[in-house]
């Protein structure tokens, strides 16, 4: 130890070298299996394979193709439908109708929530309408839709808008309500009002809740469309994947019925993983708003 001019004691600097942890070295590379386990796509694929094996085992135990075809038999029917072009055509027809109703529901939800955060009357309108119509199943409105719009896309788009609008509006409004008051005051200090205030302050801050609402709205719209197409298959003889399932059920092609259901599931998985996950990754996760 040494002494400074003022008499204070100065301790010498000491550097300690810590030994490496036992069994772990920086040079030890991860095995190929450990590297695969880091990827979510591998883990999800593994889950799907396990479910397919359980399905195949249940089908072999039942031993009744009419009641429960196996996963391999369904895969063959799915591949045949893809080769024939019937499954892609039906899926494209369903997605085209879904996109119209989904986009219209999103636009109406944003208009309602913008009105709700701007005026007291708008809040009353939103709360009253969501309390009335959100518990009402969209498929229950199909008879009225058939009466008002006839046997065509108009009826399907009507029930799709109903299935998307209220759940999305509630999520958006809840997200707007959770925006910190500091951000609200900053927007007011810049003179933002009405749509500019919503677009510049509320939507970026409430984006996690908005994306959650978009996911819920998509799921509601997709299952509502398939159910409505099953009814349309019975009444008008045309439709997308729902009609494909209905037609093959009538003809007792159970493997094709399961192939149609597999197409519905695969489209749902593709939209969730390729669209919504990508959208979250490039927005809220990148900005640190969500883990």
């Amino acid at each position: 130890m040494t002494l400074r001019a003022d008499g204070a004691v100065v301790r010498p600097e000491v550097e300690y070298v810590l030994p490496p942890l036992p069994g772990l070295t920086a040079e030890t590379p991860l095995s190929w299996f450990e590297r695969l386990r880091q990827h979510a796509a591998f883990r999800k694929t593994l889950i799907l394979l396990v479910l397919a094996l359980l399905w195949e085992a249940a089908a072999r135990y039942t031993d009744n193709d009419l009641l429960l075809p196996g996963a391999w038999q369904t895969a063959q029917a799915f591949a045949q439908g893809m080769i024939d072009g019937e499954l892609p055509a039906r899926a494209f027809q369903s997605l085209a109708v879904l996109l119209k109703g989904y986009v219209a529901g999103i636009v109406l939800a944003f208009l309602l929530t913008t009105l709700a955060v701007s005026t007291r009357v708008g809040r009353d309108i939103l709360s009253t309408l969501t309390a009335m119509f959100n518990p009402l199943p969209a498929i229950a409105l199909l008879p009225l839709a058939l009466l008002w719009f006839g046997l065509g896309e108009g009826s399907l788009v009507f029930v799709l808008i109903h299935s998307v609008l209220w759940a999305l509006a509630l999520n958006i409004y809840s997200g707007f309500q959770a925006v910190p008051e500091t951000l609200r005051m900053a927007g007011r200090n810049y003179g933002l009002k009405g749509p500019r205030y919503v677009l510049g302050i509320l939507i970026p801050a409430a984006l996690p809740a908005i994306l959650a609402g978009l996911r819920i709205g998509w799921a509601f719209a997709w299952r509502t469309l398939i159910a409505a197409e099953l009814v349309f298959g019975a009444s008008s003889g045309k439709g997308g994947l729902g009609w494909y399932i209905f037609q093959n059920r009538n003809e007792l092609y159970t493997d094709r019925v399961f192939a149609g259901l597999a197409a519905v599931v695969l489209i749902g998985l593709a939209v969730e993983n390729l669209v919504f996950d990508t959208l979250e990754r490039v927005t809220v996760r990148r900005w640190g708003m969500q883990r």
Side-chain angles (χ1 to χ4, degrees):
M1 291 187 295
T2 59
L3 296 176
R4 288 193 318 207
D6 57 359
V9 177
V10 179
R11 294 172 179 256
E13 294 185 359
V14 179
E15 182 179 353
Y16 297 98
V17 179
L18 298 177
L21 293 176
L24 276 180
T25 60
E27 294 78 12
T28 304
L30 293 176
S31 64
W32 63 271
F33 183 72
E34 290 294 333
R35 290 196 299 269
L36 279 178
R37 285 180 56 188
Q38 304 301 320
H39 296 280
F42 170 75
R43 298 193 299 270
K44 293 178 181 180
T45 303
L46 190 61
I47 292 173
L48 292 177
L49 289 176
V50 171
L51 292 176
L53 289 175
L54 292 175
W55 177 8
E56 185 68 28
R60 291 180 181 273
Y61 177 78
T62 306
D63 197 19
N64 188 342
D65 294 342
L66 185 62
L67 181 64
L68 181 63
W72 177 245
Q73 186 179 353
T74 301
Q76 290 177 317
F78 183 86
Q80 187 62 44
M82 295 295 292
I83 295 172
D84 296 341
E86 187 175 7
L87 268 179
R90 299 293 186 183
F92 179 79
Q93 186 173 352
S94 293
L95 290 174
V97 177
L98 176 70
L99 188 61
K100 296 177 183 178
Y102 188 62
V103 172
I106 291 173
V107 172
L108 290 175
F110 273 100
L111 290 177
L112 270 177
T113 49
T114 301
L115 182 64
V117 297
S118 302
T119 64
R120 183 176 301 174
V121 176
R123 288 195 295 272
D124 294 338
I125 292 174
L126 179 63
S127 62
T128 303
L129 292 180
T130 51
M132 290 171 56
F133 294 115
N134 191 41
L136 184 63
I139 199 64
L141 294 176
L142 188 57
L144 287 177
L146 293 173
L147 181 63
W148 293 340
F149 302 103
L151 301 176
E153 286 188 4
S155 299
L156 290 175
V157 171
F158 176 79
V159 296
L160 287 175
I161 290 174
H162 174 81
S163 65
V164 173
L165 174 57
W166 311 115
L168 180 57
L170 282 175
N171 270 73
I172 295 175
Y173 187 69
S174 298
F176 287 171
Q177 292 295 101
V179 175
E181 190 62 28
T182 306
L183 292 178
R184 297 174 182 271
M185 294 175 62
R188 297 191 193 101
N189 289 337
Y190 278 102
L192 299 179
K193 295 180 180 179
R196 292 182 59 199
Y197 174 70
V198 173
L199 292 174
I201 300 296
L202 296 183
I203 289 181
L207 197 55
I210 294 173
L211 288 178
L214 290 174
R215 282 181 182 268
I216 295 172
W218 149 256
F220 283 0
W222 188 225
R223 69 188 187 187
T224 298
L225 176 64
I226 300 302
E229 283 182 345
L230 286 169
V231 178
F232 266 68
S235 56
S236 66
K238 60 181 180 181
L241 285 173
W243 164 239
Y244 177 85
I245 295 170
F246 178 83
Q247 184 183 32
N248 286 288
R249 194 270 296 176
N250 285 343
E251 297 175 2
L252 296 181
Y253 292 126
T254 313
D255 54 347
R256 296 183 185 178
V257 172
F258 274 82
L261 295 174
V264 173
V265 172
L266 290 176
I267 291 174
L269 288 174
V271 171
E272 283 286 336
N273 292 279
L274 299 180
V275 178
F276 290 113
D277 282 355
T278 303
L279 191 59
E280 282 187 352
R281 187 168 58 252
V282 301
T283 55
V284 295
R285 291 182 188 173
R286 182 179 180 182
W287 300 336
M289 301 170 67
Q290 191 179 68
R291 296 182 61 184

